[in-house]
Structures are given as structure tokens and as C-alpha cells.
Amino acid sequence: MSSRIRDPKEIKKQMEKEMVPVEEMSQCLATSIYETSKTNPFLGSVLQCLTISYSHQLPTAGILFNTDAKRWDMLVNPYFFCKKLSAKERKAVLIHELSHITHKHPLRVPFMKISARKRMLMNIAADMAINQYIPDIPKGCNQCPPIGQPTPCPNELCPGRCIDVKDYFDQDPKTGTKTQWPLNQTMEAYYDRLIKRFDDPDKDDKGDGNSGGGTETGDLPQTIDEHMWDGAGEEKEMLDATEELVKRAMVKARLSYDDLPGHVKDLLEEIKTRRNELNYKALILLAMKKHANGHNRKGTWTRKNKRLGFKAPGTKVGDLPKLELHLDTSGSISTEELNEFLEIVDQFLKVGARKCNLAFFHTEHYGRQQYKMGTKIDKSMIQSGGTDLTKTLEDIFKRKGDLSIIITDGCYGDVPVESWMRPGQQFPQVLWIISKGGTEDHPLKRLGDTVKCPDGSTSKRR
Ligand SMILES: [Zn+2]
Ligand SMILES: [Zn+2]
């Protein structure tokens, strides 16, 4: 199986065999951190800020997200670290673990629901992506079985052999010419290659094509460490913990932002971008909830629940808030982005069955239909053209839904809605969602809250 995490019985069994004197353990760790600081001040400082514990829970090493303390922790097997590795290899293993964090591997893997075999291939891909940058990574011993044969090495003191992309070739079936796999690729790119190379042995037997593959991983090469990242924590918590770790390390090493290695600067930027994307979804949901709950002209929605003593939503369908969605199809917003927005709407609708309608606009207002959860927009559904909000706002004014959400790029002229209303009359509640690259400073801001979708850059991944 892919995981080598030990159960309590196994830990007890191994503990005596793997005993290392306490002084030796602390000396090995202190020396490797010091050596790392000499060549790489920033990573050395990160190591000093990290909680590193010796443990028999795992045979080698691993980094994990501590969900209680909301921080990254490192576990190291004392026998592996002190007895099997050379001084240089110790430093390399520590850098290997840190590299998983700085390359954001734990943030990308746990959210994918894949079979054990595919997960193992993803683990190999993760190591392949980082090991090429780490000098002195363990290369095994002279008793190690040849590359391509994953049988464990018979040598008790063998450190193990790290996954090295330089050992992987594609061979032309006709000419026999070998081409080495490229360097500097992402975990995902290596995964695509590995999936083709290590085809699923069970696939033909099952034959249904969507079984997710077999669970046997015995024919695969092993990673040097454990990747214990399965559903480890909330993505936002992991982003926060990573940023916190980098910032504490900066302070400790008295480094300014400009002193940071380039890929760490990229990491901080990516964290910011990703967090904005997550915040944007949360902001829209919050705005929708706020407006939906503000609908209290009729009794049942906010009537005090006698038994529970708080405001409970009404149960009569007619009293549930009516949501009207209006999507700008003038051409500046991609169908992909419109669909992303509908996914957020679905999250909101899941909370309770609410009436929801969907319509499109450019200069016309068209295609109004009852919205069903899971609806996807495709090009055939939409027309394009310039943008004029008059017809859309007329529709909103006429229907008086409880909340009308308009997703648009914000580029259009003003509409004199006040001239349609009697003195003191209110325009129905509107929530504006401005698309990527759109303008937040639009002429109809006065009609409701505006939420801007962050202009996310595509993250650089390794
Ligand atoms: Zn690893
Ligand atoms: Zn060996």
C-alpha cells in the first residue's frame, strides 16, 4: 500500500530497534539546521521556526498539517535520520520536506479524489518535481536493486533512493532512441507522464473505465518520505500557515522581502491571489445571505420561532426570497467565468430551496428561465452585443424580486431609474458582481453592493 504510517503495535515493535541516544538525535538535527543556514539562510530560518519532532510513526520523514495548532510540523524517524543518512543527506532531506510546502504540493493533492495508485503516482510526481533542485539527495547504495525494480534494498543501513527525473526516459519504439524526461516541470506535468508510463494493471479486468483504478502500488518506485496530506485541513488555513511560516522565518533571519529567494516571493504572491479568490466566493455568499435575510416584509421569514427563540425562516414557498440572476453576455466575460459564478449560486441555493430565475442581457434582456441547480452555460445559449442596462433594470423594477444579482464587467452608461419611481419609493435590492478585469467604479453603484472578482494570475507551479 502507499502509506507507510505505522499503527501503535508496529511503532512499539520498531521503537527498540530504532533507538538512538537523545544527545545524538539533538546533535544531528542541530548540525543539519546549522549547515542549511550556512548555504541557505532563508530555509535555515524556516527550519528554526518549524516544530520538528522525532517519531517512530513513520519509517523516514514527512511534513504534515497540524489541524489543531493550524501549522506545519515535521516528523523525522531517528534511526533513518541519524543512522542511515550522511550529514549532507540529512540537510537534503530537510530541504526536501520544506520544498513540498514552498511548492504548495499539500495544497494541490488533498483536494483531488483519486485512487490509491493514482495518489502514489502523484506522490512520485511531487518528489520528481523538487528533487532535481536539491543537491545531495539520497541516491541509495551499491546493494540497491536496479532502477525500475521497486523491491526494498536488502541493506539495513541503506538510506533509500530518491525519485530522480534523470532516471526517466521515453523510448522510440522504432528507432530505440531514448529521450530523457524534461526538467523544470510541475508536479502535474510529471503526473501526466507517470500515468502513461505506469498504466493501471487492473484497468483491463474491471473494464468499466471509471473505477478509479486499482489500489496495488507494489510495482511503483517509492518516495523517500510520507506525504500525509489527505484532506489535511482547510485550504485557507493551509495558506495562512504557509504565509505565517515564511514571515516568521523572515523576521528571525532579519531578511527583508527583497532578500527572499525568487520562488518564495512567487509563493507569497500566489498565496495572496488564491486567498483573494477564496475571499471573493465568501464575499458573494455573505452578500447574498445578507440580502436574502433582509427580506422581511412578510411575516414568516423572520417570525420568532417560539420553541427555539430565534428568527427562523418561514416554510411557505411564497415567502422564500426570490432571487433573480442577470448575466452580462456583451462578450467581455467568458462562459467559464459565468459558470464559476453559477457554482457559487448553487452553494447558496443548497442552503434552502429558493426560487431563482436566470436571464441574460447585452442591450436586450433575454432568455429568462427558471434556474435549476447545476445549470451550465454554453455558447449556444447566449447572444452578444453592446451593453445597456435599461431593459434589465426595467425588468428588475417590474418584478421586484427580493434580490437581483447582476454579473457584469461594469462598462455601461447610467440609467435614470429614479425617474421611474414615486418619491420615497425604493429600487429593489441589487447586488453587482464585477467580472475579472471589469471596472468596480461603474455608474450604477448607488443601486446596491458591488463585489469585485479578483484578477487572479495563473499561478506558477512547480
Ligand atoms: Zn516527498
Ligand atoms: Zn540500497
Side-chain angles (χ1 to χ4, degrees):
M1 280 303 294
S2 55
S3 176
R4 286 161 291 183
I5 306 292
R6 297 164 171 172
D7 59 30
K9 222 176 103 193
E10 181 68 13
I11 294 172
K12 239 181 142 185
K13 207 175 102 188
Q14 299 289 345
M15 238 161 102
E16 259 175 75
K17 266 205 267 174
E18 295 179 344
M19 207 51 99
V20 175
V22 178
E23 310 78 62
E24 190 179 344
M25 288 201 294
S26 40
Q27 209 249 323
C28 277
L29 197 55
T31 315
S32 344
I33 294 176
Y34 174 70
E35 289 298 325
T36 308
S37 301
K38 278 208 300 198
T39 53
N40 201 322
F42 173 73
L43 288 185
S45 185
V46 173
L47 287 171
Q48 288 176 59
C49 294
L50 206 62
T51 309
I52 306 176
S53 319
Y54 279 110
S55 167
H56 298 270
Q57 261 182 67
L58 71 190
T60 59
I63 195 116
L64 65 133
F65 190 71
N66 180 328
T67 44
D68 295 324
K70 307 211 186 309
R71 61 163 197 236
W72 296 106
D73 287 343
M74 198 191 289
L75 294 181
V76 182
N77 180 295
Y79 188 74
F80 166 74
F81 197 69
C82 305
K83 301 292 188 190
K84 292 188 180 184
L85 300 179
S86 69
K88 281 182 171 176
E89 287 170 339
R90 275 179 211 129
K91 188 174 143 182
V93 166
L94 294 180
I95 294 176
H96 175 102
E97 297 309 326
L98 291 187
S99 301
H100 282 311
I101 305 183
T102 56
H103 289 73
K104 297 195 297 162
H105 291 160
L107 280 100
R108 278 136 69 183
V109 175
F111 307 102
M112 301 185 294
K113 289 198 175 83
I114 50 176
S115 70
R117 183 179 176 84
K118 285 183 174 149
R119 187 168 290 276
M120 193 60 207
L121 289 175
M122 189 59 84
N123 285 336
I124 296 168
D127 277 14
M128 196 176 269
I130 57 175
N131 284 344
Q132 53 185 298
Y133 305 108
I134 307 171
D136 305 314
I137 202 86
K139 295 255 190 312
C141 68
N142 53 15
Q143 292 178 50
C144 273
I147 288 160
Q149 288 178 28
T151 2
C153 179
N155 175 6
E156 177 71 12
L157 281 167
C158 177
R161 182 170 51 220
C162 283
I163 312 279
D164 187 347
V165 66
K166 292 185 198 80
D167 296 333
Y168 290 77
F169 295 87
D170 281 329
Q171 194 165 8
D172 190 298
K174 282 178 200 149
T175 61
T177 325
K178 283 182 168 182
T179 320
Q180 203 197 292
W181 285 13
L183 299 176
N184 305 312
Q185 302 287 300
T186 62
M187 167 176 81
E188 287 83 358
Y190 289 127
Y191 175 73
D192 287 344
R193 285 173 176 270
L194 287 161
I195 277 281
K196 282 177 203 138
R197 167 67 53 90
F198 296 97
D199 214 23
D200 190 344
D202 293 351
K203 207 162 64 183
D204 295 336
D205 301 338
K206 292 196 176 150
D208 58 8
N210 59 6
S211 59
T215 53
E216 282 306 312
T217 53
D219 60 326
L220 302 179
Q222 300 265 296
T223 54
I224 191 79
D225 58 338
E226 298 307 315
H227 299 168
M228 304 162 283
W229 310 324
D230 288 40
E234 291 285 325
E235 187 179 359
K236 192 182 169 301
E237 288 178 353
M238 289 160 102
L239 288 169
D240 289 348
T242 307
E243 188 186 55
E244 172 72 19
L245 181 63
V246 169
K247 292 199 163 157
R248 275 173 53 215
M250 274 168 72
V251 171
K252 196 167 184 93
R254 295 200 182 85
L255 295 170
S256 74
Y257 180 81
D258 291 330
D259 301 325
L260 292 176
H263 73 278
V264 178
K265 286 182 192 165
D266 290 347
L267 173 72
L268 290 179
E269 286 304 310
E270 285 166 29
I271 289 175
K272 219 193 272 170
T273 305
R274 184 66 188 134
R275 195 159 38 209
N276 282 341
E277 284 170 7
L278 293 172
N279 283 350
Y280 157 75
K281 283 187 187 171
L283 266 179
I284 292 182
L285 283 173
L286 198 74
M288 284 166 73
K289 273 182 200 142
K290 189 181 99 188
H291 287 289
N293 290 336
H295 156 83
N296 54 9
R297 287 154 228 157
K298 285 183 196 138
T300 47
W301 180 249
T302 50
R303 182 181 61 198
K304 225 176 178 183
N305 182 309
K306 280 190 193 119
R307 189 166 53 87
L308 300 169
F310 56 79
K311 287 176 181 179
T315 46
K316 277 192 267 169
V317 175
D319 290 330
L320 290 169
K322 264 193 298 184
L323 202 60
E324 298 279 339
L325 308 176
H326 304 269
L327 308 188
D328 182 345
T329 63
S330 62
S332 59
I333 310 177
S334 66
T335 49
E336 193 189 5
E337 195 177 346
L338 293 175
N339 282 324
E340 268 172 36
F341 166 71
L342 291 183
E343 278 169 29
I344 303 176
V345 171
D346 285 349
Q347 280 180 39
F348 177 72
L349 293 177
K350 266 180 211 150
V351 181
R354 291 170 170 86
K355 272 191 181 169
C356 183
N357 290 301
L358 173 67
F360 305 105
F361 68 92
H362 39 90
T363 50
E364 291 303 313
H365 187 257
Y366 68 100
R368 187 169 181 273
Q369 55 192 275
Q370 197 180 349
Y371 178 75
K372 288 190 189 68
M373 272 187 31
T375 297
K376 290 265 174 288
I377 309 254
D378 65 66
K379 287 209 174 77
S380 70
M381 294 161 79
I382 61 178
Q383 313 164 2
S384 53
T387 315
D388 183 344
L389 268 282
T390 308
K391 295 267 171 62
T392 303
L393 292 173
E394 277 173 6
D395 184 79
I396 292 172
F397 189 60
K398 187 182 81 189
R399 296 185 194 278
K400 301 200 171 23
D402 299 303
L403 175 62
S404 299
I405 303 180
I406 304 179
I407 173 159
T408 172
D409 62 2
C411 302
Y412 37 70
D414 198 358
V415 180
V417 293
E418 285 80 4
S419 66
W420 309 340
M421 297 189 284
R422 292 189 308 274
Q425 197 182 5
Q426 292 261 321
F427 196 81
Q429 296 196 77
V430 173
L431 172 64
W432 302 93
I433 295 175
I434 306 295
S435 61
K436 280 179 194 152
T439 169
E440 227 173 322
D441 199 22
H442 61 105
L444 288 157
K445 273 201 311 205
R446 64 186 185 281
L447 298 185
D449 290 349
T450 298
V451 177
K452 170 81 172 70
C453 178
D455 300 326
S457 61
T458 41
S459 3
K460 295 170 207 128
R461 289 172 154 179
R462 271 188 287 169

